[in-house]
Amino acid sequence: MSEIQHYILFPNHDNAMRLHRELKALGVKAVIAPTPRAASKCCGVSLMVREEDLESIKACVAEHGIEILKIAEIERDVNPRRDRYC
């Protein structure tokens, strides 16, 4: 079973925290997460968001002038037996 997860990547953590605060005020769910290696090689923070919220997120970014690098779509393999050893 696989699913697509959307991550917003930033040049620095200040922009990530600022967008997280603005999205929270709008009632848009965003989870602070480490940047996946598949999306970017550099270390950093990202926001994991839902696909249905992307248009309102893009509008918020434009309205508040928040700098983002990109919105990455990462295919995740959901393994229900992960961390099970018996």
Side-chain angles (χ1 to χ4, degrees):
M1 175 186 205
S2 66
E3 65 180 43
I4 301 293
Q5 293 178 324
H6 294 80
Y7 291 88
I8 303 174
L9 308 181
F10 301 91
N12 58 52
H13 77 282
D14 292 329
N15 287 322
M17 300 311 290
R18 187 170 159 219
L19 181 58
H20 185 262
R21 185 173 47 250
E22 296 295 341
L23 293 177
K24 188 174 179 181
L26 289 174
V28 175
K29 184 177 180 181
V31 177
I32 299 169
T35 301
R37 293 284 180 223
S40 177
K41 299 235 186 299
C42 61
C43 179
V45 65
S46 64
L47 294 181
M48 190 168 45
V49 297
R50 298 181 300 199
E51 183 175 10
E52 58 266 20
D53 294 329
L54 288 178
E55 290 306 315
S56 57
I57 292 168
K58 290 175 185 176
C60 181
V61 165
E63 179 182 341
H64 296 283
I66 300 171
E67 185 181 359
I68 67 169
L69 295 177
K70 68 179 179 177
I71 298 175
E73 295 180 1
I74 307 291
E75 186 173 340
R76 289 291 179 183
D77 184 20
V78 179
N79 181 356
R81 295 187 45 82
R82 181 178 178 184
D83 296 331
R84 287 185 136 173
Y85 304 104
C86 297

